[in-house]
Amino acid sequence: MFEQNQIQEFKEAFTIMDQNRDSIIDKSDLWDTFAALGRLSVGNDELDEMLKESSDPINFTVFLTMFGEKLKGTDPEESILNAFKVFDPEATGVMGGGGVRDHLMSQADKFTEAEVNQMLTNLPLDVAGNLDYKSPCYVITHGEDKEE
């Protein structure tokens, strides 16, 4: 289901989350992971819900299986690219940053300004003020940056 390099990345993520190094991700590990990410307000109910997603203790095999199930049904890269191409009629691979902001804040499920700012922090505009949408599409479908 996953390429070898993806499995290695999942293993690294699992190791980071397994704070007590017992090869099982438990409630304490989740709490510590959230705390390390700066989210101290996570509740016990939320952690319990996460753990209920598996009927077995979450070892690496279960962890990998859970990710496989979550990623199953993800749109293929071409479908995601086609969605962005609506805003890129010349198929240049980039969209004007201002246009992206305007569309996200005015269409369908409107984003707030804070949400758009957060997105643009994670997907920064280039020096010309454009958003390169091809790289994030690749990351969404393959789980890592393209090697140049």
Side-chain angles (χ1 to χ4, degrees):
M1 175 180 281
F2 296 112
E3 296 174 15
Q4 190 59 40
N5 57 348
Q6 290 174 307
I7 293 172
Q8 183 58 37
E9 289 177 5
F10 283 124
K11 183 66 174 171
E12 291 171 18
F14 181 86
T15 301
I16 290 169
M17 292 178 70
D18 183 19
Q19 296 283 310
N20 60 11
R21 304 292 184 246
D22 64 354
S23 298
I24 301 289
I25 294 178
D26 58 19
K27 192 173 191 175
S28 172
D29 292 324
L30 290 176
W31 174 263
D32 291 342
T33 300
F34 275 109
L37 295 171
R39 184 166 169 219
L40 302 175
S41 63
V42 64
N44 283 324
D45 292 342
E46 188 175 358
L47 297 175
D48 289 337
E49 284 299 313
M50 288 178 190
L51 292 171
K52 282 182 191 174
E53 290 189 33
S54 174
S55 57
D56 298 317
I58 303 175
N59 61 22
F60 181 66
T61 303
V62 171
F63 182 80
L64 199 57
T65 302
M66 290 172 75
F67 267 95
E69 290 170 357
K70 292 287 185 188
L71 294 175
K72 187 187 289 185
T74 300
D75 290 332
E77 184 176 6
E78 187 173 336
S79 296
I80 297 171
L81 285 171
N82 286 337
F84 280 102
K85 285 179 183 175
V86 169
F87 304 105
D88 179 23
E90 288 88 36
T92 61
V94 297
M95 304 178 332
V100 171
R101 178 180 292 278
D102 293 341
H103 283 294
L104 291 175
M105 293 176 64
S106 65
Q107 306 294 318
D109 292 331
K110 296 177 179 123
F111 281 49
T112 65
E113 186 171 358
E115 289 170 328
V116 172
N117 289 339
Q118 180 182 8
M119 181 197 78
L120 293 175
T121 298
N122 294 320
L123 303 172
L125 303 178
D126 64 17
V127 291
N130 296 314
L131 173 67
D132 170 8
Y133 62 84
K134 288 185 177 182
S135 293
C137 287
Y138 185 89
V139 171
I140 290 167
T141 57
H142 294 88
E144 62 184 49
D145 288 325
K146 279 191 221 183
E147 292 183 17
E148 299 294 322

PDB file of all heavy atoms in Angstrom, residues 112-132:
ATOM      1  N   THR A 112     -12.098  31.861   6.938  1.00  0.00           N
ATOM      2  CA  THR A 112     -11.882  33.126   7.638  1.00  0.00           C
ATOM      3  C   THR A 112     -10.521  33.668   7.217  1.00  0.00           C
ATOM      4  O   THR A 112      -9.683  32.944   6.661  1.00  0.00           O
ATOM      5  CB  THR A 112     -11.887  32.926   9.165  1.00  0.00           C
ATOM      6  OG1 THR A 112     -10.757  32.119   9.520  1.00  0.00           O
ATOM      7  CG2 THR A 112     -13.180  32.285   9.652  1.00  0.00           C
ATOM      8  N   GLU A 113     -10.286  34.930   7.508  1.00  0.00           N
ATOM      9  CA  GLU A 113      -8.980  35.517   7.184  1.00  0.00           C
ATOM     10  C   GLU A 113      -7.862  34.771   7.913  1.00  0.00           C
ATOM     11  O   GLU A 113      -6.798  34.526   7.343  1.00  0.00           O
ATOM     12  CB  GLU A 113      -8.963  37.001   7.542  1.00  0.00           C
ATOM     13  CG  GLU A 113      -7.688  37.685   7.089  1.00  0.00           C
ATOM     14  CD  GLU A 113      -7.744  39.195   7.235  1.00  0.00           C
ATOM     15  OE1 GLU A 113      -8.782  39.740   7.643  1.00  0.00           O
ATOM     16  OE2 GLU A 113      -6.719  39.822   6.921  1.00  0.00           O
ATOM     17  N   ALA A 114      -8.110  34.384   9.165  1.00  0.00           N
ATOM     18  CA  ALA A 114      -7.099  33.651   9.932  1.00  0.00           C
ATOM     19  C   ALA A 114      -6.788  32.296   9.276  1.00  0.00           C
ATOM     20  O   ALA A 114      -5.623  31.883   9.215  1.00  0.00           O
ATOM     21  CB  ALA A 114      -7.570  33.443  11.369  1.00  0.00           C
ATOM     22  N   GLU A 115      -7.816  31.609   8.768  1.00  0.00           N
ATOM     23  CA  GLU A 115      -7.597  30.322   8.103  1.00  0.00           C
ATOM     24  C   GLU A 115      -6.781  30.481   6.821  1.00  0.00           C
ATOM     25  O   GLU A 115      -5.885  29.692   6.539  1.00  0.00           O
ATOM     26  CB  GLU A 115      -8.937  29.647   7.798  1.00  0.00           C
ATOM     27  CG  GLU A 115      -9.655  29.141   9.022  1.00  0.00           C
ATOM     28  CD  GLU A 115     -11.087  28.698   8.740  1.00  0.00           C
ATOM     29  OE1 GLU A 115     -11.741  29.281   7.845  1.00  0.00           O
ATOM     30  OE2 GLU A 115     -11.545  27.775   9.438  1.00  0.00           O
ATOM     31  N   VAL A 116      -7.084  31.518   6.059  1.00  0.00           N
ATOM     32  CA  VAL A 116      -6.324  31.772   4.829  1.00  0.00           C
ATOM     33  C   VAL A 116      -4.882  32.122   5.177  1.00  0.00           C
ATOM     34  O   VAL A 116      -3.942  31.624   4.546  1.00  0.00           O
ATOM     35  CB  VAL A 116      -6.980  32.889   3.986  1.00  0.00           C
ATOM     36  CG1 VAL A 116      -6.090  33.276   2.810  1.00  0.00           C
ATOM     37  CG2 VAL A 116      -8.347  32.447   3.501  1.00  0.00           C
ATOM     38  N   ASN A 117      -4.692  32.945   6.194  1.00  0.00           N
ATOM     39  CA  ASN A 117      -3.331  33.300   6.607  1.00  0.00           C
ATOM     40  C   ASN A 117      -2.550  32.073   7.050  1.00  0.00           C
ATOM     41  O   ASN A 117      -1.365  31.929   6.734  1.00  0.00           O
ATOM     42  CB  ASN A 117      -3.357  34.351   7.719  1.00  0.00           C
ATOM     43  CG  ASN A 117      -3.808  35.700   7.212  1.00  0.00           C
ATOM     44  OD1 ASN A 117      -3.743  35.999   6.020  1.00  0.00           O
ATOM     45  ND2 ASN A 117      -4.283  36.535   8.119  1.00  0.00           N
ATOM     46  N   GLN A 118      -3.207  31.167   7.773  1.00  0.00           N
ATOM     47  CA  GLN A 118      -2.540  29.937   8.210  1.00  0.00           C
ATOM     48  C   GLN A 118      -2.147  29.095   6.996  1.00  0.00           C
ATOM     49  O   GLN A 118      -1.043  28.568   6.926  1.00  0.00           O
ATOM     50  CB  GLN A 118      -3.431  29.130   9.142  1.00  0.00           C
ATOM     51  CG  GLN A 118      -2.772  27.850   9.615  1.00  0.00           C
ATOM     52  CD  GLN A 118      -3.682  27.033  10.515  1.00  0.00           C
ATOM     53  OE1 GLN A 118      -4.852  27.340  10.685  1.00  0.00           O
ATOM     54  NE2 GLN A 118      -3.136  25.979  11.083  1.00  0.00           N
ATOM     55  N   MET A 119      -3.048  28.969   6.030  1.00  0.00           N
ATOM     56  CA  MET A 119      -2.744  28.201   4.827  1.00  0.00           C
ATOM     57  C   MET A 119      -1.550  28.803   4.093  1.00  0.00           C
ATOM     58  O   MET A 119      -0.639  28.094   3.679  1.00  0.00           O
ATOM     59  CB  MET A 119      -3.943  28.156   3.887  1.00  0.00           C
ATOM     60  CG  MET A 119      -3.663  27.337   2.633  1.00  0.00           C
ATOM     61  SD  MET A 119      -4.825  27.635   1.297  1.00  0.00           S
ATOM     62  CE  MET A 119      -4.218  29.180   0.655  1.00  0.00           C
ATOM     63  N   LEU A 120      -1.528  30.121   3.959  1.00  0.00           N
ATOM     64  CA  LEU A 120      -0.448  30.775   3.234  1.00  0.00           C
ATOM     65  C   LEU A 120       0.859  30.750   4.019  1.00  0.00           C
ATOM     66  O   LEU A 120       1.925  30.908   3.426  1.00  0.00           O
ATOM     67  CB  LEU A 120      -0.844  32.198   2.843  1.00  0.00           C
ATOM     68  CG  LEU A 120      -1.970  32.278   1.801  1.00  0.00           C
ATOM     69  CD1 LEU A 120      -2.379  33.722   1.552  1.00  0.00           C
ATOM     70  CD2 LEU A 120      -1.580  31.588   0.504  1.00  0.00           C
ATOM     71  N   THR A 121       0.789  30.512   5.308  1.00  0.00           N
ATOM     72  CA  THR A 121       2.009  30.301   6.088  1.00  0.00           C
ATOM     73  C   THR A 121       2.602  28.948   5.725  1.00  0.00           C
ATOM     74  O   THR A 121       3.818  28.805   5.576  1.00  0.00           O
ATOM     75  CB  THR A 121       1.704  30.347   7.603  1.00  0.00           C
ATOM     76  OG1 THR A 121       1.209  31.646   7.912  1.00  0.00           O
ATOM     77  CG2 THR A 121       2.935  30.053   8.428  1.00  0.00           C
ATOM     78  N   ASN A 122       1.731  27.953   5.575  1.00  0.00           N
ATOM     79  CA  ASN A 122       2.189  26.605   5.235  1.00  0.00           C
ATOM     80  C   ASN A 122       2.487  26.445   3.751  1.00  0.00           C
ATOM     81  O   ASN A 122       3.280  25.592   3.360  1.00  0.00           O
ATOM     82  CB  ASN A 122       1.148  25.575   5.664  1.00  0.00           C
ATOM     83  CG  ASN A 122       1.008  25.511   7.165  1.00  0.00           C
ATOM     84  OD1 ASN A 122       1.989  25.585   7.876  1.00  0.00           O
ATOM     85  ND2 ASN A 122      -0.212  25.399   7.643  1.00  0.00           N
ATOM     86  N   LEU A 123       1.833  27.232   2.911  1.00  0.00           N
ATOM     87  CA  LEU A 123       2.037  27.211   1.459  1.00  0.00           C
ATOM     88  C   LEU A 123       2.371  28.634   1.027  1.00  0.00           C
ATOM     89  O   LEU A 123       1.535  29.334   0.467  1.00  0.00           O
ATOM     90  CB  LEU A 123       0.769  26.732   0.738  1.00  0.00           C
ATOM     91  CG  LEU A 123       0.207  25.391   1.110  1.00  0.00           C
ATOM     92  CD1 LEU A 123      -1.145  25.167   0.459  1.00  0.00           C
ATOM     93  CD2 LEU A 123       1.178  24.289   0.713  1.00  0.00           C
ATOM     94  N   PRO A 124       3.587  29.070   1.300  1.00  0.00           N
ATOM     95  CA  PRO A 124       3.906  30.475   1.054  1.00  0.00           C
ATOM     96  C   PRO A 124       3.877  30.839  -0.426  1.00  0.00           C
ATOM     97  O   PRO A 124       4.114  30.016  -1.302  1.00  0.00           O
ATOM     98  CB  PRO A 124       5.312  30.627   1.632  1.00  0.00           C
ATOM     99  CG  PRO A 124       5.863  29.257   1.711  1.00  0.00           C
ATOM    100  CD  PRO A 124       4.701  28.316   1.814  1.00  0.00           C
ATOM    101  N   LEU A 125       3.580  32.101  -0.670  1.00  0.00           N
ATOM    102  CA  LEU A 125       3.578  32.644  -2.026  1.00  0.00           C
ATOM    103  C   LEU A 125       5.027  32.867  -2.462  1.00  0.00           C
ATOM    104  O   LEU A 125       5.900  33.133  -1.641  1.00  0.00           O
ATOM    105  CB  LEU A 125       2.808  33.961  -2.065  1.00  0.00           C
ATOM    106  CG  LEU A 125       1.351  33.911  -1.586  1.00  0.00           C
ATOM    107  CD1 LEU A 125       0.736  35.307  -1.632  1.00  0.00           C
ATOM    108  CD2 LEU A 125       0.536  32.938  -2.413  1.00  0.00           C
ATOM    109  N   ASP A 126       5.257  32.761  -3.767  1.00  0.00           N
ATOM    110  CA  ASP A 126       6.602  33.031  -4.279  1.00  0.00           C
ATOM    111  C   ASP A 126       6.825  34.546  -4.339  1.00  0.00           C
ATOM    112  O   ASP A 126       5.939  35.330  -3.986  1.00  0.00           O
ATOM    113  CB  ASP A 126       6.834  32.344  -5.631  1.00  0.00           C
ATOM    114  CG  ASP A 126       5.930  32.875  -6.746  1.00  0.00           C
ATOM    115  OD1 ASP A 126       5.339  33.966  -6.598  1.00  0.00           O
ATOM    116  OD2 ASP A 126       5.822  32.185  -7.772  1.00  0.00           O
ATOM    117  N   VAL A 127       7.993  34.973  -4.812  1.00  0.00           N
ATOM    118  CA  VAL A 127       8.322  36.400  -4.819  1.00  0.00           C
ATOM    119  C   VAL A 127       7.390  37.206  -5.720  1.00  0.00           C
ATOM    120  O   VAL A 127       7.227  38.405  -5.519  1.00  0.00           O
ATOM    121  CB  VAL A 127       9.801  36.642  -5.227  1.00  0.00           C
ATOM    122  CG1 VAL A 127      10.738  36.152  -4.153  1.00  0.00           C
ATOM    123  CG2 VAL A 127      10.120  36.025  -6.564  1.00  0.00           C
ATOM    124  N   ALA A 128       6.766  36.552  -6.689  1.00  0.00           N
ATOM    125  CA  ALA A 128       5.821  37.240  -7.579  1.00  0.00           C
ATOM    126  C   ALA A 128       4.410  37.265  -7.005  1.00  0.00           C
ATOM    127  O   ALA A 128       3.496  37.810  -7.621  1.00  0.00           O
ATOM    128  CB  ALA A 128       5.816  36.559  -8.948  1.00  0.00           C
ATOM    129  N   GLY A 129       4.222  36.684  -5.808  1.00  0.00           N
ATOM    130  CA  GLY A 129       2.901  36.679  -5.182  1.00  0.00           C
ATOM    131  C   GLY A 129       1.997  35.568  -5.662  1.00  0.00           C
ATOM    132  O   GLY A 129       0.784  35.645  -5.531  1.00  0.00           O
ATOM    133  N   ASN A 130       2.579  34.503  -6.212  1.00  0.00           N
ATOM    134  CA  ASN A 130       1.806  33.371  -6.724  1.00  0.00           C
ATOM    135  C   ASN A 130       1.919  32.162  -5.806  1.00  0.00           C
ATOM    136  O   ASN A 130       2.923  31.981  -5.120  1.00  0.00           O
ATOM    137  CB  ASN A 130       2.297  32.972  -8.118  1.00  0.00           C
ATOM    138  CG  ASN A 130       2.066  34.064  -9.138  1.00  0.00           C
ATOM    139  OD1 ASN A 130       0.991  34.648  -9.190  1.00  0.00           O
ATOM    140  ND2 ASN A 130       3.070  34.354  -9.930  1.00  0.00           N
ATOM    141  N   LEU A 131       0.886  31.332  -5.848  1.00  0.00           N
ATOM    142  CA  LEU A 131       0.870  30.088  -5.078  1.00  0.00           C
ATOM    143  C   LEU A 131       1.144  28.931  -6.042  1.00  0.00           C
ATOM    144  O   LEU A 131       0.404  28.729  -7.000  1.00  0.00           O
ATOM    145  CB  LEU A 131      -0.502  29.892  -4.419  1.00  0.00           C
ATOM    146  CG  LEU A 131      -0.724  28.560  -3.710  1.00  0.00           C
ATOM    147  CD1 LEU A 131       0.172  28.450  -2.485  1.00  0.00           C
ATOM    148  CD2 LEU A 131      -2.175  28.414  -3.310  1.00  0.00           C
ATOM    149  N   ASP A 132       2.233  28.190  -5.790  1.00  0.00           N
ATOM    150  CA  ASP A 132       2.553  26.991  -6.569  1.00  0.00           C
ATOM    151  C   ASP A 132       1.711  25.869  -5.995  1.00  0.00           C
ATOM    152  O   ASP A 132       1.934  25.416  -4.882  1.00  0.00           O
ATOM    153  CB  ASP A 132       4.044  26.677  -6.440  1.00  0.00           C
ATOM    154  CG  ASP A 132       4.420  25.315  -7.008  1.00  0.00           C
ATOM    155  OD1 ASP A 132       3.572  24.643  -7.641  1.00  0.00           O
ATOM    156  OD2 ASP A 132       5.580  24.908  -6.805  1.00  0.00           O
TER     157      ASP A 132
END
